[in-house]
Amino acid sequence: MPFGGTTAIQLWFPAAEDGFRLVRCFSCWLPDSLILYLAGCCLWSRRDTGQGAQAAVIYGPDRVAYRIEEATRTCGQIPAVYLELLRNSESSFRTSDPLPA
């Protein structure tokens, strides 16, 4: 992703008693894959977006999924404008799918 592109970040939460889990989704244009990775880590580590999530998955413009292994506090390394765009794009759905591998 050398010249940027539209990206997506998904935060997967534990399944509820009914077997369905919440997936929070964020999407915007980001300039490179490092910012995408840092943004995924940041959203997962934030109390207001990722608290309780079990997994984070990032998708670059090629739509290939990459699973982030752990949440880290990287929010200070990302321009605030990108975090604002991501937070404003939030949507969610419920699924019975297992966690992505």
Side-chain angles (χ1 to χ4, degrees):
M1 190 168 113
F3 302 108
T6 302
T7 61
I9 299 167
Q10 293 181 339
L11 301 176
W12 288 67
F13 290 81
E17 288 182 20
D18 63 3
F20 286 86
R21 67 178 72 247
L22 173 69
V23 180
R24 283 186 165 169
C25 306
F26 305 86
S27 180
C28 80
W29 184 93
L30 292 175
D32 60 51
S33 55
L34 177 61
I35 295 291
L36 172 59
Y37 173 76
L38 294 174
C41 291
C42 171
L43 290 172
W44 191 5
S45 71
R46 289 177 61 111
R47 214 177 269 160
D48 62 337
T49 54
Q51 184 172 14
Q54 285 184 302
V57 179
I58 56 176
Y59 298 87
D62 57 3
R63 308 319 287 161
V64 174
Y66 299 94
R67 184 162 171 182
I68 296 174
E69 295 300 320
E70 61 184 79
T72 57
R73 298 200 177 272
T74 57
C75 299
Q77 300 174 35
I78 305 164
V81 65
Y82 296 132
L83 288 178
E84 190 66 26
L85 288 169
L86 286 165
R87 291 186 66 221
N88 288 337
S89 73
E90 183 177 351
S91 63
S92 62
F93 64 92
R94 289 174 42 89
T95 181
S96 60
D97 292 346
L99 288 173

